[in-house]
Amino acid sequence: MSGGMGWWILVEAPVGGDLRWDLRRTVPVDGGRDAALARAAELARTCDPHGEEAENPEAYGRRVFRSGEADWIVEVGRSRWFDTLKKSMTFTTHVRISVARLEHQSATPVAEPRPRAASGARSAGADGASSGPDSSVPPSPSSPCDPGHHPSVIS
C-alpha cells in the first residue's frame, strides 16, 4: 500500500510552547484496521518525545492514555543531570497518536510564476493577491503553506 488509500497512523506533537499541535508524521500501515491499531498501540508504548520510534524506549518515562478506540495521548518524560545546578531535572511533553483511514488525497498543485506587470506597477493576480515585489517571498517557516512545514511531504 505504502502511501495509498488505506489505514494510517497519525502522530501529532505540540509546538510553540504547547499552544498548537503539528502533524509530525503520517505512517501508512499494511494489513487493515486491526494491524494499524496494534502498531499505533506499540508506538504509544515506545515512542520518543517527538513521536518517533525510540532507540531506547526505557530511557523515557511515559503514561499512555487511550482516549478513544483509535486514539492515544502519550506523556513522555526524560530526566537530565545538570552539573552547573548539581541536580537532575525532568522534562515532559506529550504526543497524540491516532489511527485513521485515508479517504481522499490530491497532489498539491505546483506554483507557477505570475506574469510581470508593465513598468514595475503592482497588479492583482487571479486570487486577488498582489504580484508585486513581495509576491516572490516564500511563506515563513511557521506558515502551514510552507512546503517544508510538514516532514511528511508528498512528492
Side-chain angles (χ1 to χ4, degrees):
M1 171 191 41
S2 187
M5 300 294 192
W7 292 96
W8 291 70
I9 296 172
L10 310 177
V11 180
E12 299 171 274
V15 293
D18 296 347
L19 298 176
R20 183 174 65 85
W21 286 87
D22 188 32
L23 182 61
R24 303 293 292 255
R25 296 178 61 203
T26 57
V27 182
V29 179
D30 291 324
R33 184 174 188 273
D34 289 341
L37 289 170
R39 177 68 186 99
E42 176 187 341
L43 181 61
R45 292 187 302 271
T46 61
C47 68
D48 70 10
H50 307 288
E52 300 286 338
E53 287 85 1
E55 285 184 33
N56 181 12
E58 293 79 28
Y60 303 96
R62 74 185 62 245
R63 295 193 304 170
V64 177
F65 300 93
R66 188 146 188 188
S67 56
E69 185 180 344
D71 303 293
W72 292 260
I73 300 288
V74 183
E75 181 182 60
V76 183
R78 186 162 197 174
S79 182
R80 293 221 165 119
W81 179 262
F82 290 88
D83 286 329
T84 56
L85 301 173
K86 295 184 176 25
K87 70 177 187 175
S88 173
M89 294 182 72
T90 301
F91 301 91
T92 61
T93 189
H94 53 287
V95 296
R96 187 164 41 202
I97 299 173
S98 305
V99 170
R101 185 174 187 141
L102 178 62
E103 293 188 355
H104 172 81
Q105 76 178 6
S106 61
T108 302
V110 176
E112 298 286 334
R114 294 188 182 160
R116 287 188 156 281
S119 69
R122 294 175 71 102
S123 63
D127 61 359
S130 169
S131 63
D134 293 338
S135 67
S136 64
V137 175
S140 70
S142 62
S143 168
C145 296
D146 178 8
H149 181 68
H150 295 286
S152 303
V153 176
I154 299 172
S155 52

